[in-house]
Amino acid sequence: AEKKGKYWASGVSVVAHMKNPKIPAFHFNTRFIVTSKEWFGGGIDATPSHKDKNEEVYIHKKLEETCLSNNKNYKKYKKSCDNYFYLKHRREPRGIGGIFFDYETQDWEKNFKFIKDLGFEFINITNKIILNKNKLKWSKKDKEKQLYKRGRYVEFNLLYDRGTKFGLNSGGNIESILMSLPPLAKWK
């Protein structure tokens, strides 16, 4: 937990995948914030550099199941994710989406359970995909495609991401704020 004046936040942000371009980048973030009010927020999304329809269906199915088992509105959260992780200047989504939610204030215990279940599902989803694709061969062309997709990830984080903008504008630790950026990226 970190305190900034009257602002309390506790959360985790994880970005998985940088080497094998056949494995998508995954983003997972949850938070519990207390100001004059308190709420939960967060989400999971995936940004593959190579399309895999079966993988996309699997990710969304598991997220929908997690939402349903916690009486959460998957369609609303999916739409929120699709709208949030959109590169307006390029008129394209950052990835294949996932779920994104904020300002969940009703029933602390149920929201906390949902956050925990989402964390466990993130582990399950990423483990399955990484283990299935970890040993796949890839080419220099595959890597180039990944680096361009990483460039899109950088653009989103620096131009639109609320957490990045808040951290940079509130005097946060620059290295910590920018650690989710990929170590290599390219633009055409």
Side-chain angles (χ1 to χ4, degrees):
E2 181 179 338
K3 184 176 182 188
K4 293 269 186 193
K6 292 184 180 184
Y7 173 92
W8 277 89
S10 179
V12 63
S13 182
V14 179
V15 178
H17 152 66
M18 290 297 157
K19 185 175 179 183
N20 185 333
K22 301 285 177 106
I23 300 171
F26 292 96
H27 172 255
F28 170 68
N29 173 281
T30 58
R31 57 195 161 277
F32 175 66
I33 296 177
V34 178
T35 58
S36 59
K37 298 178 183 177
E38 60 184 47
W39 70 90
F40 287 90
I44 295 175
D45 67 282
T47 305
S49 54
H50 295 75
K51 291 200 182 286
D52 182 331
K53 190 63 179 168
N54 291 334
E55 182 176 87
E56 184 175 344
V57 168
Y58 169 74
I59 291 168
H60 283 284
K61 178 180 179 253
K62 299 312 271 180
L63 293 175
E64 184 173 20
E65 288 172 359
T66 303
C67 287
L68 290 174
S69 70
N70 283 277
N71 295 317
K72 298 296 183 180
N73 188 334
Y74 167 76
K75 288 182 182 179
K76 175 184 168 186
Y77 290 172
K78 181 187 180 314
K79 183 177 180 181
S80 180
C81 183
D82 292 344
N83 290 336
Y84 184 73
F85 292 107
Y86 186 77
L87 297 159
K88 296 173 195 92
H89 65 287
R90 292 203 182 266
R91 297 185 183 104
E92 67 184 47
R94 184 178 83 175
I96 61 168
I99 61 170
F100 180 74
F101 58 95
D102 223 350
Y103 306 108
E104 288 290 330
T105 59
Q106 303 296 317
D107 200 326
W108 194 96
E109 292 292 329
K110 287 182 180 177
N111 283 325
F112 186 60
K113 179 187 177 303
F114 176 57
I115 293 290
K116 289 189 296 183
D117 289 352
L118 203 55
F120 288 122
E121 197 56 57
F122 173 78
I123 293 168
N124 294 335
I125 290 169
T126 55
N127 275 345
K128 180 176 179 166
I129 291 172
I130 291 168
L131 289 174
N132 284 343
K133 292 189 164 185
N134 193 37
K135 301 211 188 259
L136 289 179
K137 295 194 184 297
W138 47 272
S139 67
K140 186 174 181 178
K141 184 178 176 183
D142 293 330
K143 190 65 172 177
E144 288 293 308
K145 191 173 180 183
Q146 179 196 39
L147 293 175
Y148 287 117
K149 196 62 174 174
R150 300 294 92 231
R152 299 298 203 267
Y153 200 93
V154 170
E155 290 174 20
F156 173 81
N157 275 31
L158 295 178
L159 294 173
Y160 304 115
D161 185 68
R162 293 187 321 217
T164 302
K165 289 164 82 173
F166 173 81
L168 293 173
N169 291 326
S170 65
N173 180 308
I174 302 293
E175 286 74 22
S176 294
I177 295 163
L178 299 178
M179 72 182 223
S180 71
L181 297 179
L184 298 171
K186 283 191 172 186
W187 290 264
K188 291 182 182 182

